[in-house]
């Protein structure tokens, strides 16, 4: 076959059809609709969110509509995490969206941390002003303003007061799946929106040791999920005092690195001490008969994990989803010339689909006649389906199929015999390969800096995590943040102690910490 392309003649193999050319051009056309990472990383991210039908902006400023494609991934995340929580003894409950303003004033550092982000309900009724306009009824003012939930510590600890009297009532291990509102001025789909979805765990314990153990347990559950399901390597660590959760004595976190060299806080777990128990007078009688305040934790992850998935793995052709979280793991596209051809292909595909579903694989057979195969190929590549299978009449005769994996775009012809087992192994390989690729990138972007000049140069040229000595003072951390927009992402749990000199102040330091610019 001879094809003319930009006034040049290209000789193609005899078995290369115009159909193959159409597919190639279609995929090229759709991928061109996405801005490249190199050209504009921020726009690339937005393009993928919008064009892969994950979410879109809503009519409410700063809020998003999570579309079925995006919500299906979030549902899989929820299901996995929910099982992890329940396997460690936690139960789900639900608490009010509205929190009395007076509750926030009971824990000073907590209210200070959230005061600028709170949405406040002041009235409870609307009315018609007589001119056809709907206005707030000024006579329907609430006696006490209600805060739209930015987080639930206050309402939950007010509730726990009625649940806890004795050590026999402890521990309380509660998780809540909910939405929260934090009035962000600069928003970004999934990463930072005025309203977002999350889970928040709130537990009560008889001793500080039990509470700390719970805090660390949940950190490791988050890390397990991030690495083994999200395929994103994370660093487990503690936050510096400046970066702690408002009202916590200690905050643990998992930090991930995105493809642009910026860090993303993917999950946090907080040791709250007795702060909230004292604020809401939650006491219990111990085994020794003495009255004491309860010890507390809280922990959470949010739809920000969707942002992590996109930015850690995707490419200029669109979304790449780890197989374990993919709503559709395998899509099968028939290539046929007529109804008889389609019927023969469908007979084989239906049998294959049953075998795969029996092995726990989610499969979609796309035999729509409203779209060409080339469009389907490009669309599923854009939306990140891990494995695509194409099968035509000649494949049936040869007892083969063509398989394309999304992460590497490698295509190969494989025999139909044992195909179900081959696909299971391929999904496992894709999952591991995605993690390995992200890990190699992360490890290549952890760099030591031994002076402030070197630190600043690395931030502007290489980015990633910068391991540097810090004198341990909030003042130094704040000055570095103001001058460079870099923060201490965490003090790794496995950090080794070493004598050094703070890169900023020149004062003695006992260890390096990880700095980065972050989302």
């Amino acid at each position: 076959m001879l094809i003319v392309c930009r006034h040049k003649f290209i000789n193609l193999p005899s078995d290369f059809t115009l159909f193959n050319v159409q597919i190639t051009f279609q995929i090229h056309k759709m991928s061109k609709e996405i801005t490249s990472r190199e050209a504009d990383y921020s726009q690339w991210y937005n393009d993928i969110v919008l064009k892969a039908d994950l979410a879109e902006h809503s009519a409410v400023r700063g809020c998003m509509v999570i579309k079925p494609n995006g919500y299906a991934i979030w549902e899989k995340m929820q299901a996995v995490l929910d099982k992890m929580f329940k396997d460690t003894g936690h139960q789900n409950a639900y608490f009010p969206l509205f929190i009395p303003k007076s509750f926030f004033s009971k824990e000073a550092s907590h209210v200070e941390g959230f005061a600028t982000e709170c949405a406040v309900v002041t009235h409870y009724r609307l009315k018609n002003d007589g001119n056809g306009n709907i206005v707030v009824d000024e006579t329907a003012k609430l006696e006490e303003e209600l805060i739209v939930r930015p987080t639930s510590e206050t309402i939950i600890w007010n509730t726990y007061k009625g649940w806890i009297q004795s050590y026999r009532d402890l521990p309380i291990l509660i998780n809540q799946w909910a939405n929260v509102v934090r009035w962000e001025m600069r928003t970004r789909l999934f990463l930072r929106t005025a309203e977002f979805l999350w889970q928040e765990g709130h537990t009560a314990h008889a001793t500080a040791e039990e509470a700390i153990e719970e805090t660390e347990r949940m950190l490791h559950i988050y890390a397990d999920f991030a690495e083994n399901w999200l395929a994103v390597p994370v660093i487990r660590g503690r936050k510096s005092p400046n970066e702690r959760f408002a009202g916590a004595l200690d905050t643990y976190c998992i930090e991930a690195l995105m493809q642009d060299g910026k860090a993303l806080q993917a999950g946090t777990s907080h040791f709250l001490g007795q702060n909230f128990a004292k604020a809401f007078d939650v006491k219990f009688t111990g085994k020794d008969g003495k009255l004491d305040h309860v010890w507390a934790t809280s922990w959470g992850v949010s739809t920000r994990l969707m942002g992590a998935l996109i930015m850690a793995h995707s490419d200029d052709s669109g979304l790449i989803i780890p197989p374990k979280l993919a709503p559709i793991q395998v899509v099968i596209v028939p290539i046929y010339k007529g109804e008889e051809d389609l019927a023969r292909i469908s007979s084989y595909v239906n049998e294959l689909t049953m075998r795969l579903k029996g092995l726990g694989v989610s499969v979609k057979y796309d035999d729509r006649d409203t779209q060409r195969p080339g469009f389907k190929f490009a669309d599923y590549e854009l939306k990140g389906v891990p494995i695509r299978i194409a099968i035509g009449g000649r494949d049936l005769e040869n007892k083969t199929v063509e398989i394309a994996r999304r992460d590497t775009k490698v295509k190969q012809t494989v025999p139909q015999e044992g195909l179900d087992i081959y696909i299971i192994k391929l999904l496992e390989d894709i999952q591991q390969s995605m993690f390995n690729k992200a890990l190699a990138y992360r490890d290549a972007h952890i760099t030591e800096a031994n002076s402030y000049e070197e630190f600043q140069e690395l931030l502007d040229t290489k980015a990633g995590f910068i391991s540097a000595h810090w004198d341990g003072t909030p003042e130094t951390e704040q000055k570095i943040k103001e001058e460079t927009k870099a923060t201490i992402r965490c003090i790794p749990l496995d950090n080794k102690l070493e004598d050094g000199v703070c890169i900023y102040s020149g004062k003695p330091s006992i260890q390096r910490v990880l700095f980065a610019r972050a989302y």
Side-chain angles (χ1 to χ4, degrees):
M1 181 184 293
L2 197 66
I3 287 183
V4 180
C5 183
R6 289 186 180 273
H7 309 294
K8 292 184 179 180
F9 293 96
I10 303 175
N11 284 304
L12 299 174
S14 59
D15 60 347
F16 195 102
T17 66
L18 284 172
F19 167 71
N20 297 108
V21 178
Q22 178 254 325
I23 289 174
T24 303
F25 287 174
Q26 183 73 49
I27 292 175
H28 178 73
K29 178 183 176 183
M30 291 184 74
S31 66
K32 280 297 181 183
E33 295 176 356
I34 296 176
T35 304
S36 74
R37 286 166 292 181
E38 294 294 329
D40 188 335
Y41 191 86
S42 179
Q43 187 59 50
W44 166 81
Y45 173 82
N46 288 333
D47 285 349
I48 289 181
V49 173
L50 297 172
K51 295 180 186 300
D53 281 336
L54 299 177
E56 64 183 34
H57 298 283
S58 76
V60 182
R61 184 191 176 281
C63 296
M64 63 178 170
V65 174
I66 304 176
K67 301 179 77 172
N69 283 344
Y71 201 79
I73 300 172
W74 175 243
E75 282 184 312
K76 293 202 77 168
M77 292 182 180
Q78 276 187 301
V80 174
L81 285 166
D82 200 62
K83 185 177 186 303
M84 288 179 164
F85 300 156
K86 289 173 179 173
D87 285 347
T88 47
H90 300 84
Q91 295 177 297
N92 287 335
Y94 187 81
F95 298 85
L97 174 68
F98 302 113
I99 302 172
K101 187 181 71 173
S102 59
F103 284 16
F104 279 84
S105 61
K106 292 186 177 184
E107 215 293 324
S109 59
H110 186 69
V111 70
E112 184 179 348
F114 286 100
T116 60
E117 299 177 342
C118 288
V120 185
V121 179
T122 59
H123 291 73
Y124 60 85
R125 187 167 58 221
L126 301 174
K127 69 176 183 179
N128 191 310
D129 67 356
N131 297 315
N133 301 313
I134 299 299
V135 297
V136 173
D137 185 344
E138 64 277 3
T139 67
K141 188 173 183 179
L142 293 171
E143 290 184 13
E144 180 181 3
E145 294 94 338
L146 296 173
I147 310 302
V148 182
R149 173 177 56 213
T151 182
S152 296
E153 277 77 7
T154 56
I155 189 71
I156 286 178
W157 277 92
N158 180 74
T159 305
Y160 282 177
K161 182 177 181 179
W163 293 5
I164 300 169
Q165 282 79 44
S166 136
Y167 70 90
R168 296 182 183 88
D169 301 319
L170 299 171
I172 291 178
L173 308 175
I174 294 293
N175 175 64
Q176 172 176 239
W177 291 98
N179 62 333
V180 293
V181 171
R182 296 180 185 175
W183 212 256
E184 300 282 356
M185 300 306 295
R186 299 177 63 185
T187 59
R188 199 168 184 186
L189 294 170
F190 289 120
L191 294 175
R192 195 173 293 276
T193 49
E195 179 196 15
F196 56 90
L197 305 182
W198 76 347
Q199 59 75 210
E200 49 179 322
H202 298 272
T203 68
H205 304 267
T207 67
E209 291 74 19
E210 286 181 16
I212 292 171
E213 183 181 353
E214 165 78 1
T215 309
E216 293 176 347
R217 178 186 299 111
M218 300 319 296
L219 176 80
H220 296 309
I221 284 176
Y222 288 153
D224 179 15
F225 173 77
E227 297 190 336
N228 294 310
W229 294 83
L230 205 59
V232 173
V234 293
I235 295 173
R236 311 173 197 209
R238 284 188 172 92
K239 286 291 188 183
S240 61
N242 279 13
E243 296 294 318
R244 280 181 195 150
F245 176 73
L249 298 186
D250 208 354
T251 290
Y252 295 75
C253 62
I254 53 171
E255 292 286 330
L257 194 65
M258 303 297 98
Q259 292 181 75
D260 63 344
K262 285 186 177 180
L264 182 77
Q265 178 180 283
T268 51
S269 184
H270 316 289
F271 171 52
L272 303 177
Q274 295 175 307
N275 288 353
F276 286 91
K278 289 178 179 178
F280 290 90
D281 195 29
V282 184
K283 296 179 180 178
F284 74 104
T285 302
K287 291 182 179 180
D288 57 3
K290 295 180 179 179
L291 202 60
D292 194 10
H293 286 99
V294 176
W295 297 84
T297 82
S298 67
W299 29 273
V301 295
S302 74
T303 37
R304 170 173 274 227
L305 290 176
M306 290 288 295
L309 184 154
I310 297 162
M311 291 195 294
H313 300 305
S314 301
D315 61 18
D316 289 351
S317 297
L319 184 65
I320 300 179
I321 310 174
K324 285 186 177 181
L325 294 178
I328 302 170
Q329 295 173 310
V330 177
V331 63
I332 304 173
V333 179
I335 313 300
Y336 59 94
K337 296 179 180 177
E339 292 301 320
E340 185 178 332
D341 207 16
L342 176 61
R344 291 192 305 118
I345 294 170
S346 296
S347 177
Y348 168 74
V349 171
N350 290 336
E351 186 271 333
L352 172 64
T353 298
M354 288 181 61
R355 293 205 314 270
L356 288 172
K357 288 183 177 179
L359 293 170
V361 178
S362 57
V363 187
K364 178 177 181 178
Y365 179 39
D366 191 347
D367 59 351
R368 293 174 296 165
D369 61 4
T370 55
Q371 300 291 352
R372 293 177 176 272
F375 174 89
K376 295 176 185 178
F377 282 21
D379 192 46
Y380 291 118
E381 180 174 280
L382 173 64
K383 293 175 180 174
V385 175
I387 293 176
R388 184 188 74 228
I389 297 175
I391 180 168
R394 184 175 298 179
D395 294 304
L396 284 181
E397 296 172 6
N398 297 334
K399 297 187 181 301
T400 61
V401 299
E402 181 189 79
I403 288 185
R405 52 188 286 176
R406 175 62 184 91
D407 62 325
T408 61
K409 296 187 180 179
V410 170
K411 291 191 291 187
Q412 58 185 139
T413 301
V414 300
Q416 293 177 5
E417 185 177 355
L419 183 59
D420 49 355
I421 303 303
Y422 177 86
I423 288 172
I424 291 291
K425 292 180 178 177
L426 184 58
L427 287 169
E428 293 172 353
D429 182 63
I430 293 171
Q431 183 80 27
Q432 188 62 49
S433 294
M434 289 179 65
F435 175 81
N436 291 344
K437 181 180 179 181
L439 179 64
Y441 178 86
R442 196 278 308 274
D443 288 350
H445 288 80
I446 301 178
T447 314
E448 288 190 359
N450 295 303
S451 69
Y452 195 49
E453 292 74 20
E454 185 181 8
F455 177 83
Q456 292 173 299
E457 183 180 355
L458 285 169
L459 280 175
D460 293 333
T461 57
K462 187 177 182 182
F465 290 116
I466 300 177
S467 178
H469 277 282
W470 164 58
D471 61 20
T473 67
E475 294 77 18
T476 293
E477 181 181 5
Q478 184 62 28
K479 288 177 181 176
I480 292 174
K481 180 179 180 179
E482 290 171 356
E483 293 179 13
T484 67
K485 296 184 180 179
T487 56
I488 296 175
R489 302 315 304 159
C490 72
I491 304 165
L493 294 184
D494 58 357
N495 225 20
K496 63 179 181 179
L497 298 181
E498 60 174 52
D499 292 331
V501 175
C502 174
I503 57 166
Y504 188 88
S505 67
K507 295 178 181 178
S509 165
I510 61 169
Q511 63 183 335
R512 292 178 182 270
V513 298
L514 293 181
F515 289 86
R517 290 181 176 138
Y519 286 97

